[in-house]
Every structure is written in C-alpha cells, then in structure tokens.
Amino acid sequence: AQTVTQSQPEMSVQEAETVTLSCTYDTSENNYYLFWYKQPPSRQMILVIRQEAYKQQNATENRFSVNFQKAAKSFSLKISDSQLGDTAMYFCAFSDSGGGADGLTFGKGTHLIIQP
Amino acid sequence: NAGVTQTPKFRILKIGQSMTLQCAQDMNHNYMYWYRQDPGMGLKLIYYSVGAGITDKGEVPNGYNVSRSTTEDFPLRLELAAPSQTSVYFCASSYVGTGYNEQFFGPGTRLTVL
C-alpha cells in the first residue's frame, strides 16, 4: 500500500512571499501520478497541479510549481507571489498507474496561512 | 453541468440511526468514489464503483454500504451510526479510460453522530 506523508501541519508566510510545502511518499510502483489539492474553508477540493512520474520535467501552473524528485520520493509544492486567497489546507495525493481508478491516497495536509 | 452534487450538506444522527448520503454526477463518468475526512486528516477511500452494478471496498469500508444502480448515482448507506463515523464525506467521480483521469469532488456532507 502506498503512503503519503506531509510533515508540516501548518505554515504561515507574508503575502507576496514564496512558500514551499513538503510531501514524501512511499510506493513500489514505477509509474504513478502525484497531485496537490487545495481545500479552502468552503471544503471544496480543488486540484492545483499534477505530476506524472514518467515525466522528468517538473509541472507548473501559473504561480504553482512542483519539485519532483523520483529517487527520493519527494514531491514539494512551491507557491510564488503568495496571495491571501491561497490560505487553505493543501493535500498531497498519490494515484497508481491506473490514473486514480482505485482512488487517491492523501497525506494529512498542511494548513497554509497567508498573512497580509 | 452541475458536476458532482451531494445531499444533505449537514446532518446530525443519533447513535444507532441509519441514513443514506446521496451523490449524483452529470458528467457521464464511469468511476465514482466515496471518501471520508476526519478532523485534521486527509481523505480516506471508503468505497468506489467502476460502473453501474459494480462496487469495491476501499481503505475504510466497515460500517458502510453502497450501491450503483445507475451511472449517475452512487448513494452511501450508514447502518447503525456510531460516533466514530462523525466525519465529512466527499463523493467524487472521474472518467477512467487511458492515462490520467482527474477526479471531480462534490462539496461534501458534514455528519455528526451523537
């Protein structure tokens, strides 16, 4: 079974700063997918970014980028020019090579607070 | 498209009561999922379905039942509610074909068992 670990329960930064959220995972598979989800106070789960393990290039989506280290089984999320609206819980998630057909495995989350 | 809808949004149950959480999607997705999120934790998979008439257990299925009679609907049944089932429940769906398949989540149902 896969496991996902987020070691930072809470982080706080000033608006416009850059922040990095950490995630490590454990799997014996070679092909898989990794995701970062955002959960604002509304509870809605919002996909922020995804990474396919077979791609060496790190994924980017506007101000969000990842640092994917396959050998180290590390998948961190970098948020540049942080905004007040980025305040939320952030979850790292893993999916097997079936693209999530058997469901996602989530970490416990990091509560990110952006201070004005 | 309404996406994934869940009812009710909130519910309080007494120990031993039963209820059904409703989930529907209008995106013609073949896969549907139920997750629970306990306070301070990530989501854990309860059950999932690969199509009408086919369901399978996830990580935490005990105390729950599901059915999938149509492509659109995937209700979650709680029998004999217990305080340990106090949680937020999320339904999700995806179209699984080849490659990556994004899961779309509903807004969640907050359930309290007292």
Side-chain angles (χ1 to χ4, degrees):
Chain A
Q2 294 82 14
T3 59
V4 177
T5 303
Q6 293 178 250
S7 59
Q8 305 153 311
E10 185 171 287
M11 297 188 70
S12 180
V13 299
Q14 297 293 123
E15 192 176 7
E17 290 184 343
T18 294
V19 59
T20 299
L21 308 184
S22 301
C23 173
T24 59
Y25 58 94
D26 189 25
T27 182
S28 58
E29 298 190 22
N30 191 46
N31 293 323
Y32 47 88
Y33 299 83
L34 294 163
F35 309 87
W36 279 98
Y37 278 87
K38 172 184 179 181
Q39 187 180 46
S42 66
R43 284 203 315 248
Q44 184 67 47
M45 295 293 289
I46 302 166
L47 179 62
V48 174
I49 198 167
R50 77 171 191 271
Q51 174 80 41
E52 290 90 341
Y54 63 87
K55 290 186 177 179
Q56 293 188 344
Q57 186 173 6
N58 289 324
T60 62
E61 288 286 344
N62 301 312
R63 297 183 295 108
F64 299 88
S65 61
V66 299
N67 184 3
F68 174 50
Q69 302 290 328
K70 190 173 184 180
K73 296 181 180 175
S74 170
F75 182 61
S76 61
L77 174 69
K78 185 172 82 170
I79 304 174
S80 303
D81 186 27
S82 58
Q83 301 174 359
L84 296 179
D86 295 333
T87 293
M89 287 291 296
Y90 286 82
F91 293 96
C92 180
F94 173 99
S95 166
D96 62 21
S97 57
D102 295 341
L104 299 170
T105 300
F106 287 85
K108 291 184 178 181
T110 296
H111 184 205
L112 177 64
I113 300 168
I114 309 300
Q115 305 276 9
Chain B
N1 281 355
V4 180
T5 58
Q6 292 183 237
T7 55
K9 286 187 169 53
F10 305 92
R11 182 74 185 268
I12 298 175
L13 282 182
K14 294 183 179 179
I15 294 172
Q17 287 185 321
S18 301
M19 78 164 293
T20 299
L21 281 66
Q22 301 292 343
C23 174
Q25 54 91 8
D26 62 358
M27 298 174 282
N28 203 29
H29 286 169
N30 49 356
Y31 277 60
M32 295 187 74
Y33 313 82
W34 274 106
Y35 294 88
R36 60 177 286 174
Q37 183 181 24
D38 298 333
M41 302 291 286
L43 281 66
K44 292 187 177 181
L45 185 65
I46 304 172
Y47 270 97
Y48 67 100
S49 169
V50 306
I54 306 171
T55 62
D56 208 347
K57 296 178 180 179
E59 182 183 354
V60 289
N62 291 344
Y64 307 95
N65 282 301
V66 294
S67 60
R68 182 99 180 269
S69 57
T70 67
T71 301
E72 295 77 21
D73 300 298
F74 190 40
L76 177 72
R77 177 84 178 159
L78 279 72
E79 305 282 1
L80 298 175
S84 61
Q85 294 178 304
T86 293
S87 191
V88 178
Y89 292 83
F90 289 95
C91 180
S93 72
S94 69
Y95 182 77
V96 178
T98 57
Y100 163 70
N101 311 287
E102 180 176 353
Q103 289 191 18
F104 294 82
F105 286 83
T109 294
R110 181 179 293 278
L111 175 67
T112 302
V113 181
L114 300 174

